Amino acid sequence: EFAKYVLAESAADNPDGDPKMKNAGPELLESGAKGVPVAGRSPYDGRGRHNRRKAYEMMSCYQGLLDYSLETGRRDLVEAAVKTAEDIVRNELFITGSGASYEHWFGGAERQVRAYPHVQETCVTITWMRLCEKLLAMTGEARWGDEFERTFHNAYLASLSPAGDRFTAYTPLTGARSGGRRHCHMRANCCDANGPRGFVSFLEPMMTTRADGAVRLNWYASALTDLFEIDTPYPRTGFVYLRYLGTEARRFRLEPRLPAWCKEVKATMNGAPSLSVSLFRSRDFP
C-alpha cells in the first residue's frame, strides 16, 4: 500500500505537490512509457534546479518500480524502466560506462569530450550498475550484463583508491579525481558509503540459477561459487577455466554470457570440444 501511494505521488497530477510548480511529480512511469529522454524531463523549478534529471535518485526509483512489478505483475513498470535505461545507454553514458554532471543527466554521451565539471559521480556509477543487475535478472537479456561489465571494469574500478580504502566522488575522463564533500560534519560522504555496493552487485549475481534449472555465469572473475571454482585473468585475456565442485554427477545446462565484443568462442570439457555449453548473447539496442 505504501509503494502504491509513492507511485501515485510521482504522477503528473500529484495532489500534494507545490501548487506553484507545474507537474510536481517526477512522472517516472509516464515519462518512461513515452520514451522521454532523461535529460529532457525536468522543467525549471524557479530555483535554478532541474530535480527530475537527478541521475542517482531517478535510477533508484526505477529499481523500486521493478521491485514493485514483481509484487503486482505490472509489465508497464518494467517497460518504463527498460525504455529509460535504453535512453541512458544511448544518450548519457560515457565510453567508461558512467555519466552525469553535477549528478544530473545532461546528454553526456555527445558531450563527454568537453570539460564539464563534477562528472561520473561514484553514486551514479554504482546505481547504474545496480539497475543493470536488476534488469538482467528480470529480463534475462545479456545486454544488461554487458553494460554492467563495461561500467564495473572502467568507471567503477577507476573510482577506487590505490589503497582500496576509499572511493572518489568524481572520476573525469581527463584531469584528476576528486573526493566528495563531508556530509553532516562527518569524515565521510555518500560516495564512500555507496562504494562497496558495487562489489556486492558484482559478486551476488555472478552465477545464478534460472527457473528452468539453467546455470548462468553472468560475469567473469576468479572466484569460488557453490558449484564452481572459477580461474581467469579476464578481462586481460578471454580464457576462463571452471572446475565443478559437486561430489555427485549432476545434469544441468551451463549458460555463460558471451560479451558483446566477443565474435568467436571455443568451449572444451576435460580437454575435449564440448557442445553442452549454451551461450546467451546480447542483442542490439533499438
Side-chain angles (χ1 to χ4, degrees), residues 1-13:
E1 288 300 317
F2 179 66
K4 184 178 180 180
Y5 164 78
V6 172
L7 182 58
E9 286 290 292
S10 76
D13 58 351

Side-chain angles (χ1 to χ4, degrees), residues 56 98-99 119-129 155-156 158-160 167-171 178 190-192 194-195:
Y56 168 17
S98 185
V119 295
Q120 292 199 135
E121 188 203 23
T122 299
C123 286
V124 174
T125 300
I126 292 164
T127 310
W128 169 244
M129 288 164 53
Y156 177 67
S159 70
L160 183 64
F167 291 84
T168 58
Y170 303 103
T171 308
S178 60
C190 59
C191 292
D192 271 331
N194 268 318

Side-chain angles (χ1 to χ4, degrees), residues 116-280:
Y116 278 83
H118 291 182
V119 295
Q120 292 199 135
E121 188 203 23
T122 299
C123 286
V124 174
T125 300
I126 292 164
T127 310
W128 169 244
M129 288 164 53
R130 296 180 68 212
L131 181 58
C132 288
E133 174 198 352
K134 177 68 72 173
L135 288 169
L136 175 65
M138 293 194 64
T139 68
E141 295 180 357
R143 56 177 175 160
W144 303 116
D146 291 329
E147 292 301 328
F148 183 106
E149 179 180 85
R150 174 164 70 120
T151 304
F152 179 84
H153 286 296
N154 293 281
Y156 177 67
L157 291 182
S159 70
L160 183 64
S161 70
D165 61 343
R166 64 178 51 206
F167 291 84
T168 58
Y170 303 103
T171 308
L173 298 184
T174 61
R177 300 179 298 176
S178 60
R181 294 176 296 176
R182 295 180 180 181
H183 295 335
C184 304
H185 305 286
M186 299 185 296
R187 293 184 178 181
N189 58 68
C190 59
C191 292
D192 271 331
N194 268 318
R197 286 180 168 186
F199 287 116
V200 174
S201 293
F202 181 86
L203 292 171
E204 279 192 336
M206 186 174 179
M207 182 170 283
T208 56
T209 303
R210 293 175 55 83
D212 59 5
V215 175
R216 281 197 165 178
L217 183 57
N218 293 312
W219 9 92
Y220 305 98
S222 294
L224 284 174
T225 73
D226 292 339
L227 285 176
F228 289 98
E229 175 186 5
I230 307 171
D231 185 18
T232 177
Y234 186 92
R236 188 173 299 156
T237 75
F239 177 81
V240 183
Y241 173 80
L242 289 86
R243 183 169 69 91
Y244 179 59
L245 299 177
T247 57
E248 299 179 355
R250 177 180 171 184
R251 184 182 297 273
F252 58 85
R253 187 171 72 254
L254 179 64
E255 296 182 348
R257 178 181 58 85
L258 181 65
W261 56 263
C262 182
K263 305 304 179 184
E264 183 180 359
V265 64
K266 180 171 65 175
T268 62
M269 183 175 294
N270 297 329
S274 173
L275 299 178
S276 61
V277 175
S278 176
L279 298 161
F280 74 105

Side-chain angles (χ1 to χ4, degrees), residues 46-82:
R47 292 171 291 179
R49 290 196 289 252
H50 305 273
N51 293 324
R52 281 198 267 175
R53 291 185 352 206
K54 201 75 158 52
Y56 168 17
E57 288 80 355
M58 176 191 292
M59 290 187 290
S60 294
C61 289
Y62 277 108
Q63 289 178 53
L65 290 186
L66 291 171
D67 283 325
Y68 187 52
S69 73
L70 290 174
E71 298 295 325
T72 62
R74 288 183 55 178
R75 291 297 304 173
D76 59 329
L77 303 179
V78 179
E79 293 167 2
V82 168

